Amino acid sequence: MVKKVWWPLEVILITCYFGLILVCIVFAVSHNYIGFVSGFAANVMACFIFLLFVLYKLKVFTKERMYLLQTIFKNKIRFKDVVIILLIFPIGKGLYNLIMKLEFVHFFGIKAMQQNSALTDVQAWLMIILLILFIPIIAFSEELYFRVYLFSLQYPKFGKCTWLINGASWSIFHLFTTTNFLALLPTCLMYSYVYQRRRNIWLTISAHLINNFIAFYPVLKTYLK
């Protein structure tokens, strides 16, 4: 018998756990208490711990429902799915930039970590490795948690409106990160809506990976010089 879980509690717990770690890292780096590379390494470690937590939750979740975890990945990406994947980023990015022009939205933002331009060659390559690890870890962990685990808890209660609740949950998750959670809301809703319509986790994971790579490419390019 599956234990009933109050879904907002899940969001609050994860937001506090992961978000507060990021706040501490940003605070430490901005005050030069630790190096920029060390701060980002701690960020990657926090993401990895979150991924392990998500896999544990999914293992228990799928075991209690008597089907294998592998069934989550059984669907394949079709040609029309590729079009959806390629559209998610430009639409989400455009809406994000549009909303960020609203003055009150900036009140909810957290200042991003300043890149250290005085990194040695070794430190620069360490940053490249950390970024390469960070991009897939955060994409898989967030998609598996929000689009698979949390969505499955929300759907029995909210039905066709689940994508709204799920998207808002994912947006709230970014409350303590440097990405403005209000401006990110349209993108979050798009991911959840696409998953609800297609029920293909590979679709949203692929879009998330591309999104993250494009977002971090300028940083990677800087360190590759």
Side-chain angles (χ1 to χ4, degrees), residues 41-96:
N43 192 346
V44 175
M45 181 59 68
C47 294
F48 182 69
I49 293 173
F50 177 57
L51 177 60
L52 293 179
F53 173 80
V54 173
L55 291 175
Y56 169 75
K57 297 285 283 186
L58 278 175
K59 181 180 179 182
V60 175
F61 184 77
T62 54
K63 183 178 180 180
E64 290 178 342
R65 280 160 175 73
M66 299 181 68
Y67 64 89
L68 298 176
L69 180 61
Q70 288 87 333
T71 59
I72 295 172
F73 300 98
K74 67 180 180 180
N75 295 323
K76 297 180 180 180
I77 295 180
R78 303 172 186 175
F79 177 76
K80 57 184 176 182
D81 294 328
V82 175
V83 176
I84 295 174
I85 291 171
L86 296 177
L87 285 176
I88 287 177
F89 176 76
I91 295 175
K93 185 66 174 176
L95 291 172
Y96 184 92

Side-chain angles (χ1 to χ4, degrees), residues 104-131:
F104 79 95
V105 173
H106 293 272
F107 176 78
F108 299 95
I110 294 177
K111 187 177 180 181
M113 292 185 293
Q114 297 295 318
Q115 294 183 38
N116 192 334
S117 58
L119 296 179
T120 65
D121 290 341
V122 173
Q123 291 172 330
W125 275 106
L126 283 175
M127 280 300 301
I128 292 171
I129 294 172
L130 288 171
L131 282 168

Side-chain angles (χ1 to χ4, degrees), residues 24 27 126 159 190 194:
C24 291
F27 180 82
L126 283 175
M190 278 195 297
V194 167

Side-chain angles (χ1 to χ4, degrees), residues 190-205:
M190 278 195 297
Y191 273 70
S192 298
Y193 180 77
V194 167
Y195 179 76
Q196 180 165 312
R197 293 285 295 179
R198 307 293 295 162
R199 296 301 175 95
N200 187 347
I201 191 61
W202 283 119
L203 202 160
T204 53
I205 286 177

